[in-house]
Amino acid sequence: MLAGLVEKLTRRSSLVLTVGMLSIAACAPGDVEETDEESIDEEHGLSAVVQQGTELRVTASALNLRKNATTSSNILEVLDNGETLVCIATSGGNGWVNVESESGKLGWVSRTYVEEIGGGNASGDTCDPERAEGAVGDFQKALHDSIAWAEGTRNYSNDGYDVMFSFKLMNSCQKHPNQCLAFGNSCSTAAGRYQFLTGTWNSVKSANGLSNFEPESQERGAAYLVKTVRHVTVPQSRAMTASEFSNAMSKLSWEWASLPPGRYGQPVKSASQMRNFYCNLAGC
């Protein structure tokens, strides 16, 4: 009888141990498993919804980045405590947030185990046009303003620094949003005052050691495209002459589709429109 009792206890202990091991395995490789609840987490209330562009910090000891918004989805990466994420699409109402990790992977994490950095939407700070003051000289800026006017971003929202293709707005200028927004059968990643494509911005950022997509960086990036990529020299103490400006438009039109003479079959400002606008700023 004692032997039978010992056998039963042994079996029960083995069963508990096995179940425990299975439970641990189900959560692997991260230490924290996410919730599948469809409702908003009461702890977060309405703030559970995270706006696109918001920076987040991982609060768990380890957190699974999943391919889709469910615990049954594949794990793409295990995120460390304190790791910074960026919300790439407004989400969180169902308990999951669509994010990009520091390594560049895109996926979903549980809203419960991340917190907003700096209180959420940072556009008012990181996209503030005042951050661009003094980034380039006055005559260089006059050319940049003319390009932004042709692109349709000048004076729009935060003077265009937070504008994506089709005039959708970013919530933060901490980094290029890298969102391919649809038009027709294609899409465009153009963003910022000078509508940098993702590939273009990555090259500009690398060449100039830029760490963010804030207004000052966008101005420096535009200056790099003008001078280094398209080989346009902008006088720093006077306005460009008519011939200099015409030559500049011809070269820069390969970079910006809205400039004359037009290279890509898109709407284009005329040469006289561009010259008049520039001269009003530069004082020709």
Side-chain angles (χ1 to χ4, degrees), residues 70-246:
T70 172
T71 54
S72 62
S73 181
N74 292 338
I75 297 173
L76 304 177
E77 183 179 359
V78 178
L79 307 171
D80 296 327
N81 178 266
E83 186 166 342
T84 300
L85 312 172
V86 176
C87 179
I88 60 174
T90 299
S91 51
N94 66 345
W96 295 85
V97 186
N98 197 190
V99 300
E100 179 180 356
S101 70
E102 290 181 359
S103 66
K105 290 185 173 64
L106 307 181
W108 296 81
V109 296
S110 170
R111 177 66 177 89
T112 303
Y113 302 111
V114 292
E115 63 181 5
E116 296 183 7
I117 299 175
N121 187 345
S123 176
D125 293 327
T126 61
C127 298
D128 188 340
E130 290 186 1
R131 288 176 176 259
E133 290 185 5
V136 296
D138 291 343
F139 292 102
Q140 182 82 36
K141 187 61 161 52
L143 176 61
H144 289 190
D145 284 346
S146 300
I147 294 170
W149 175 69
E151 291 290 299
T153 56
R154 187 172 188 265
N155 293 331
Y156 191 89
S157 187
N158 279 306
D159 203 15
Y161 293 108
D162 58 346
V163 176
M164 294 186 288
F165 177 74
S166 71
F167 295 95
K168 291 189 176 181
L169 300 179
M170 300 179 283
N171 291 96
S172 170
C173 289
Q174 291 165 334
K175 64 187 297 185
H176 189 291
N178 189 26
Q179 292 189 47
C180 206
L181 300 175
F183 71 98
N185 296 322
S186 186
C187 65
S188 174
T189 59
R193 197 171 197 250
Y194 306 104
Q195 295 294 280
F196 298 97
L197 298 176
T198 297
T200 300
W201 179 252
N202 287 341
S203 297
V204 168
K205 180 176 67 173
S206 176
N208 293 274
L210 303 176
S211 61
N212 55 56
F213 196 57
E214 294 179 8
E216 179 182 1
S217 295
Q218 292 185 38
E219 291 298 336
R220 290 175 58 191
Y224 174 80
L225 291 178
V226 169
K227 180 179 180 180
T228 305
V229 177
R230 296 303 170 184
H231 308 293
V232 172
T233 300
V234 179
Q236 297 303 302
S237 59
R238 61 171 176 82
M240 302 173 78
T241 64
S243 61
E244 288 173 337
F245 189 78
S246 177

